[in-house]
């Protein structure tokens, strides 16, 4: 019995715009993301709430993975870059520094997020 052979995935398009970078692959798979410098929409006066961030290009059908990271801060607390309510065209991101009894906003922050899906 012959099994189905899957075509190899290859990159067909790569670009960037004001909302970040993107890669589009031959089977419709997309990788999208953004790297933040010191000024970005994640700085909020109330770290319990986030900022809605639009993707550089929308996904079409589903999200497979989300990765967030904070780069280059050591303040004695645990820095957190978290997400909520991921959609096909945007995500809500929040950044905070968790100390013993409270969350404090991170300002400035350097970090990144990556979403993969179709």
């Amino acid at each position: 019995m012959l099994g189905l052979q899957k075509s190899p995935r290859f990159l067909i398009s790569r670009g960037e715009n004001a909302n970040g970078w993107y890669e589009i692959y031959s089977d419709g798979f997309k990788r999208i993301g953004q790297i933040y410098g010191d000024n970005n929409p994640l700085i909020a006066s109330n770290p319990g709430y986030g900022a809605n961030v639009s993707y550089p290009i929308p996904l079409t059908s589903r999200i497979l993975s989300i990765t967030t990271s904070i780069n280059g801060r050591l303040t004695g607390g645990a820095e957190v870059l978290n997400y909520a309510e991921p959609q096909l065209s945007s995500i809500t991101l929040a950044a905070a520094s968790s100390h013993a009894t409270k969350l404090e906003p991170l300002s400035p922050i350097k970090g990144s997020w990556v979403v993969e899906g179709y």
Side-chain angles (χ1 to χ4, degrees), residues 10-70:
F10 58 90
L11 182 67
I12 60 172
S13 180
R14 175 182 284 155
E16 62 182 272
N17 58 36
N19 294 331
W21 57 266
Y22 60 89
E23 297 174 346
I24 302 172
Y25 291 82
S26 57
D27 63 351
F29 179 79
K30 296 176 184 174
R31 290 185 73 236
I32 53 180
Q34 188 168 33
I35 299 171
Y36 288 114
D38 289 337
N39 298 314
N40 64 71
L42 304 183
I43 297 169
S45 58
N46 184 347
Y49 297 94
N52 189 269
V53 178
S54 295
Y55 298 151
I57 59 171
L59 298 177
T60 306
S61 61
R62 68 179 186 252
I63 296 170
L64 298 176
S65 70
I66 300 169
T67 305
T68 61
S69 69
I70 290 180

Side-chain angles (χ1 to χ4, degrees), residues 37-110:
D38 289 337
N39 298 314
N40 64 71
L42 304 183
I43 297 169
S45 58
N46 184 347
Y49 297 94
N52 189 269
V53 178
S54 295
Y55 298 151
I57 59 171
L59 298 177
T60 306
S61 61
R62 68 179 186 252
I63 296 170
L64 298 176
S65 70
I66 300 169
T67 305
T68 61
S69 69
I70 290 180
N71 305 326
R73 280 188 55 105
L74 293 172
T75 63
E79 285 83 16
V80 179
L81 175 57
N82 206 351
Y83 66 89
E85 303 173 13
Q87 306 294 317
L88 294 177
S89 61
S90 66
I91 192 169
T92 300
L93 297 167
S97 181
S98 175
H99 292 273
T101 59
K102 62 181 178 174
L103 288 176
E104 297 176 356
L106 283 179
S107 176
I109 180 178
K110 293 182 170 128

